[in-house]
Amino acid sequence: MFSKACEYGIKATIYIATNSYEKKRVSLKEIAKEIDSPVAFTAKILQDLVRHQIINSVQGAYGGFEIEKHKIPTIKLAQIVNAIDGDKIYSGCGLGLHTCDEEHPCPVHDKFKIVRTELKDMLENTNLEELALDIKSGTSFLKI
Amino acid sequence: MFSKACEYGIKATIYIATNSYEKKRVSLKEIAKEIDSPVAFTAKILQDLVRHQIINSVQGAYGGFEIEKHKIPTIKLAQIVNAIDGDKIYSGCGLGLHTCDEEHPCPVHDKFKIVRTELKDMLENTNLEELALDIKSGTSFLKI
DNA sequence: TTTAAATAAGATAATATTATCCGAAATAAA
DNA sequence: TTTATTTCGGATAATATTATCTTATTTAAA
């Protein structure tokens, strides 16, 4: 569904958020360990998220990644996915047609539209806060 | 959502079906032209579909691909997708966790389950006949 | 000011996916 | 039986994705 980069990006952002509630800045190494991802590859993804202004980075000793506390409830899952994978998951034709709309639909256009709209709504209505709070409370998990 | 191979496979199967209603066997070249796909790559995918007994092939002059007419309404979209991409789209964890279930859910487990179940139901309840008939009637399209 | 720790950035490598090429095998028709 | 046409199967190539490595830059603390 999502690329590996996007999976890592979502998990990393959630992990950073859980720590940002306690104003704790987390390092790349710690993130990669906690979400069980390759360190250097994760670094690239985090840089991407910084450029997209979803997370903040602080260079140098005692640096790391963080998210402004007040921003956590406003960040939607859709923004993270969009920053890394673009919007191809819920836009574009399910069968790869260049033109696919009501006038010129692919064979699965209508059926796909329902599923994809639901996916899009889900991503746009899920915010980082609820995901982070579930991790903090031990209701959900970032690895294994 | 689907791999390129799967997109080509779905479109090819639909095109073969539309012709099989008229007992017309179609060649690889014709299929690739009609669904706008790379010929040699399409050949590999068709071989895969033959091995999975979704389509039939006849070698030699005047050969080509066909589907037994009575089989067309029984073939589900899910079978085609499964033959080419496996079941990873609607099984497995959305964030790539090795273990992800009600006891040990990933942060998006519940939200994903809804979307994925809908996708799975759609694929399992869509049969080749309805897709092929829409192409025959000009209601939907396989290229552009 | 020096040092240690950390992210940034560019180059490179490994793997998976997509795509092509070519010879072998099959088959119907001439 | 020969030929033309077609799928089959293996090898190879191109591209995208995933992953690593190395060096530069930043920054707080000693």
Side-chain angles (χ1 to χ4, degrees):
Chain A
M1 192 84 109
F2 297 138
S3 69
K4 233 66 183 83
C6 194
E7 289 179 7
Y8 298 150
I10 293 169
K11 288 187 280 192
T13 305
I14 295 173
Y15 183 69
I16 296 166
T18 62
N19 284 280
S20 290
Y21 279 113
E22 289 136 35
K23 280 226 167 282
K24 210 187 138 212
R25 199 177 281 164
V26 286
S27 73
L28 165 63
K29 251 163 73 182
E30 181 181 341
I31 295 168
K33 193 185 160 202
E34 291 303 321
I35 71 172
D36 196 22
S37 66
V39 179
F41 189 40
T42 305
K44 297 294 182 197
I45 299 159
L46 292 175
Q47 282 171 35
D48 206 10
L49 291 170
V50 169
R51 275 190 291 273
H52 279 86
Q53 306 182 329
I54 290 167
I55 62 178
N56 294 116
S57 71
V58 178
Q59 289 191 55
Y62 292 78
F65 298 89
E66 61 193 6
I67 302 173
E68 290 147 80
K69 215 165 152 181
H70 71 88
K71 233 179 126 181
I72 297 175
T74 73
I75 296 173
K76 308 295 181 194
L77 197 44
Q79 287 172 258
I80 305 172
V81 172
N82 217 280
I84 301 170
D85 278 352
D87 62 354
K88 63 185 171 189
I89 324 168
Y90 44 80
S91 82
C93 173
L95 295 185
L97 298 207
H98 184 256
T99 304
C100 181
D101 51 35
E102 306 305 320
E103 252 95 87
H104 186 94
C106 82
V108 296
H109 182 75
D110 290 332
K111 298 183 179 250
F112 253 73
K113 204 168 57 181
I114 299 166
V115 177
R116 291 241 285 248
T117 301
E118 183 146 332
L119 174 61
K120 191 181 179 190
D121 288 348
M122 186 274 271
L123 295 175
E124 285 176 350
N125 292 312
T126 301
N127 68 65
L128 184 53
E129 176 154 76
E130 47 182 320
L131 301 176
L133 292 180
D134 279 351
I135 291 296
K136 275 174 80 71
S137 69
T139 307
S140 69
F141 304 87
L142 286 171
K143 63 174 174 180
I144 300 177
Chain B
M1 192 83 109
F2 297 139
S3 68
K4 234 64 183 86
C6 194
E7 288 178 8
Y8 297 150
I10 293 169
K11 288 187 280 191
T13 305
I14 295 172
Y15 182 71
I16 296 166
T18 61
N19 283 279
S20 290
Y21 280 112
E22 287 136 36
K23 279 228 166 281
K24 209 188 138 213
R25 199 177 282 163
V26 286
S27 75
L28 166 63
K29 251 163 72 182
E30 180 180 342
I31 295 167
K33 192 184 161 203
E34 293 303 321
I35 70 172
D36 196 22
S37 66
V39 178
F41 189 40
T42 305
K44 298 295 183 197
I45 298 159
L46 292 175
Q47 282 170 37
D48 206 10
L49 292 170
V50 169
R51 275 190 292 273
H52 278 87
Q53 306 184 328
I54 290 166
I55 63 178
N56 293 117
S57 70
V58 177
Q59 289 191 54
Y62 294 79
F65 298 88
E66 61 193 6
I67 302 173
E68 291 147 78
K69 214 165 153 179
H70 71 88
K71 234 180 126 180
I72 297 175
T74 74
I75 296 173
K76 308 295 183 196
L77 197 43
Q79 287 173 258
I80 305 172
V81 173
N82 217 280
I84 301 170
D85 278 352
D87 63 353
K88 63 184 173 192
I89 323 169
Y90 44 81
S91 81
C93 172
L95 295 185
L97 297 207
H98 184 255
T99 303
C100 180
D101 51 36
E102 306 306 319
E103 251 95 87
H104 186 94
C106 82
V108 296
H109 182 75
D110 291 332
K111 298 185 179 248
F112 254 73
K113 205 168 58 181
I114 298 166
V115 176
R116 292 240 286 248
T117 300
E118 183 148 330
L119 174 61
K120 190 181 179 191
D121 288 350
M122 186 274 272
L123 295 175
E124 285 176 351
N125 292 313
T126 302
N127 69 65
L128 185 54
E129 177 154 78
E130 47 183 321
L131 301 177
L133 292 180
D134 280 350
I135 291 295
K136 275 174 82 71
S137 69
T139 307
S140 70
F141 305 86
L142 286 171
K143 64 172 173 182
I144 299 178

